[in-house]
Amino acid sequence: MTEPKIGDVWRYPYLWKREALEGEDAGRKPRPTALAAVVPVSQKSTRLYLLPITGTKPFADQNALEIPATEIRRAGLTEYKRLWIIIDEYNRDELEMSFYFEPQAGIGSFSKAFVKVMAGRFAEAIRAGKIHEVKRTE
């Protein structure tokens, strides 16, 4: 299995906040997601923080980061013309216990420069308390 790292793009059945609030517990379809953080908690536990990537233009009140065309190509998402990373919500999963994270679902990765921007925006949203977590493993 390829070890996931920050900036990787993986297909993942992302569970949107609105779906979780309606009582759903599984994402409706696999979609591209960006790994915003990969945090080793112990020798047997690694937390994954996944941000959804969408081709739907975000609402004005959403915290989103448009992905430049060069990064779309770099990440292996060339079937899309425009994409955004939604920053104001994320799925938290545990690599070793996940029912959802598929080890062979890696697509590509973003450049270090773009990852720095994405991670900065993610950290900023966490500090501001303007982010919603959907836990996938308990």
Side-chain angles (χ1 to χ4, degrees):
M1 173 172 111
T2 303
E3 289 298 317
K5 62 185 184 315
I6 186 171
D8 283 353
V9 176
W10 290 72
R11 290 220 178 273
Y12 180 82
Y14 188 84
L15 181 61
W16 292 95
K17 171 183 73 172
R18 68 181 178 278
E19 295 168 348
L21 292 173
E22 292 171 358
E24 295 182 41
D25 61 1
R28 295 179 183 174
K29 66 177 184 176
R31 72 167 42 257
T33 59
L35 281 162
V38 178
V39 180
V41 178
S42 70
Q43 287 185 330
K44 296 180 181 180
S45 177
T46 307
R47 284 195 186 141
L48 305 174
Y49 295 80
L50 299 116
L51 298 174
I53 296 174
T54 183
T56 303
K57 188 172 182 174
F59 297 111
D61 64 342
Q62 278 184 298
N63 184 357
L65 174 63
E66 187 165 8
I67 304 171
T70 55
E71 295 295 336
I72 289 173
R73 286 191 301 277
R74 188 174 279 129
L77 300 169
T78 54
E79 69 265 32
Y80 304 97
K81 292 193 186 284
R82 288 183 80 185
L83 290 171
W84 292 265
I85 299 173
I86 304 300
I87 305 287
D88 54 11
E89 68 173 85
Y90 65 94
N91 280 189
R92 188 184 92 191
D93 207 342
E94 185 179 337
L95 178 62
E96 296 80 4
M97 301 294 290
S98 180
F99 292 109
Y100 309 105
F101 194 83
E102 295 291 332
Q104 304 307 320
I107 300 170
S109 59
F110 295 124
S111 69
K112 288 182 182 181
F114 187 72
V115 169
K116 186 176 179 180
V117 172
M118 178 189 72
R121 292 274 300 271
F122 181 62
E124 204 174 278
I126 291 171
R127 281 192 300 273
K130 296 184 178 186
I131 196 163
H132 185 83
E133 174 184 75
V134 176
K135 293 179 187 173
R136 301 302 299 277
T137 312
E138 283 299 337

